[in-house]
Amino acid sequence: MDTCATMEPRPRVLDRAVRQATVDIVIPVLNEERALPGCVRTLARYLADFPLKWRVTIVDNGSTDATWPVATALAGEFEQVHARRLDIRGRGAALRAAWQDSPAEIVAYMDVDLSTDLDALFPLVAAVASGHSQIAVGSRLAPGARTRRSLRREVISRGYNALLRHGFGVRFRDAQCGFKAARTDVVRPLLVKIKDDSWFFDTELLLLAEHNGLRVHEVPVDWIEDADSRVQVLRTAIDDLKGLARVAWSMARGRARVEVGRPEPTPTHPDPVLTRPYRPAPRRRRATHLHGALLFMVVCALAAPAVLPVPVDAGRMAGAAAITYCLLRLTLSNPRT
């Protein structure tokens, strides 16, 4: 027997009418004339052998240097690179505009500094393309991830994500790694509810996704901090706390529900013998949320008066108490807990 001939796929196998997923990778940029050419050329070389159809979209959101001319030149150099310009600033605004108008089945984004190793791109996209998950995120805190960054960013990142886990009971470990992908038809209804146009956009997207029962898949990544980053860490952290307070208030009032979801699991076998499903007792999860609410009250004492409808002269603790009330109400009324 000719083993080689036996293992070669037959033409009828290769001719299957399978629609290949398309991926639109968005790169939001603000005053990145230095970093943008190297980013796009490196990414284009890497994607030359990518197993899915792709395009790259550069979104210049408010640059005052030569970023836009550089972006248009790159779009002329590469057939699969597109460029668009916004008059407003903010990574969230750039992603919202690009994802809303994208013709692709899967939308993704990465930072222009390519801090995340590109070898994680296919595992990220594959989790969404397979239909297993609706959103996939790169994680610097998942087991197997490797990072190189300053102590300051390490402490702030771990503290912020611990606050999310204990205050909101989320399952994902890293909310703000600039490396995400989502099914376009699923993410668009979420975009309508997202209010933030800046760095908190990522966190708000994931909080709404889990709140509405979507599956978020994490991919451990290798990540190296770029000292030329435009992120102002301390200011971003304060804005994030204000955003968390706003989202907690929205969830507590039932305004974070979105008409999007995934179907309940059904048996694959045509003749299954089903058992009664096990429903875990909710009290254990609720206890975790109660402890998280107390922690959240302390951390958000500074942010609460700026985002909640409490009297100006009521003091910071009154605003923090309002946040705690939101989380307690959310915890006791959420059927998923």
Side-chain angles (χ1 to χ4, degrees):
M1 177 183 292
D2 188 346
T3 305
C4 294
T6 304
M7 296 181 65
E8 288 181 358
R10 298 180 181 179
R12 62 181 179 84
V13 177
L14 296 179
D15 290 341
R16 291 180 303 174
V18 178
R19 185 180 180 186
Q20 197 175 36
T22 56
V23 185
D24 190 359
I25 303 169
V26 178
I27 305 175
V29 290
L30 172 64
N31 295 332
E32 296 286 2
E33 61 178 355
R34 183 194 65 84
L36 184 56
C39 167
V40 172
R41 293 191 176 105
T42 300
L43 183 57
R45 286 196 300 268
Y46 179 84
L47 292 173
D49 298 323
F50 203 64
L52 300 178
K53 296 179 180 179
W54 59 272
R55 84 171 195 176
V56 173
T57 301
I58 305 168
V59 183
D60 177 9
N61 54 322
S63 295
T64 56
D65 62 359
T67 296
W68 178 241
V70 170
T72 55
L74 290 167
E77 180 180 346
F78 297 96
E79 181 181 358
Q80 292 169 279
V81 174
H82 301 258
R84 63 179 299 176
R85 191 175 192 181
L86 301 179
D87 294 329
I88 58 175
R89 294 191 175 188
R91 180 171 73 180
L95 295 178
R96 186 196 310 276
W99 287 0
Q100 284 283 21
D101 298 337
S102 177
E105 299 170 22
I106 298 170
V107 289
Y109 94 90
M110 64 178 60
D111 290 334
V112 69
D113 57 13
L114 297 182
S115 293
T116 305
D117 190 275
L118 291 176
D119 285 341
L121 181 58
F122 182 67
L124 185 85
V125 173
V128 179
S130 67
H132 174 268
S133 303
Q134 290 75 46
I135 297 177
V137 300
S139 176
R140 298 161 293 188
L141 302 177
R146 297 180 297 180
T147 62
R148 181 192 297 176
R149 58 179 170 180
S150 64
L151 177 62
R152 182 189 184 197
R153 290 195 66 167
E154 181 76 11
V155 171
I156 291 176
S157 175
R158 289 188 177 274
Y160 177 70
N161 284 285
L163 183 61
L164 288 176
R165 290 195 303 275
H166 294 292
F168 285 82
V170 299
R171 298 177 179 87
F172 54 84
R173 298 177 179 89
D174 189 355
Q176 290 203 308
C177 180
F179 201 71
K180 292 180 173 65
R183 275 179 42 195
T184 307
D185 61 334
V186 172
V187 78
R188 281 177 177 162
L190 296 178
L191 294 177
V192 177
K193 288 287 186 178
I194 297 175
K195 304 300 182 184
D196 191 82
D197 281 336
S198 191
W199 301 103
F200 185 68
F201 177 93
D202 295 56
T203 301
E204 191 167 359
L205 170 66
L206 296 182
L207 288 176
L208 289 177
E210 280 208 353
H211 184 67
N212 287 280
L214 301 181
R215 177 179 285 157
V216 178
H217 178 75
E218 278 194 304
V219 177
V221 299
D222 295 341
W223 191 88
I224 300 177
E225 180 180 354
D226 188 339
D228 192 33
S229 173
R230 298 293 179 268
V231 180
Q232 299 180 21
V233 178
L234 184 58
R235 179 177 177 180
T236 300
I238 294 174
D239 290 342
D240 286 347
L241 292 178
K242 294 180 180 180
L244 290 178
R246 174 176 53 77
V247 172
W249 179 257
S250 177
M251 288 181 175
R253 300 181 70 182
R255 296 180 176 178
R257 289 295 176 187
V258 180
E259 292 299 324
V260 63
R262 54 194 177 106
E264 290 296 320
T266 56
T268 302
H269 195 281
D271 303 307
V273 179
L274 302 179
T275 60
R276 178 179 297 179
Y278 166 71
R279 303 293 184 187
R283 293 183 179 179
R284 295 180 181 177
R285 284 289 305 277
R286 285 179 181 173
T288 302
H289 281 268
L290 293 176
H291 296 154
L294 297 177
L295 174 63
F296 201 40
M297 180 187 70
V298 176
V299 177
C300 290
L302 295 175
V307 294
L308 292 182
V310 295
V312 177
D313 57 352
R316 291 175 176 174
M317 291 307 298
I323 294 179
T324 305
Y325 165 75
C326 294
L327 282 173
L328 292 176
R329 179 176 170 182
L330 175 64
T331 298
L332 297 177
S333 63
N334 191 345
R336 292 177 60 246
T337 59

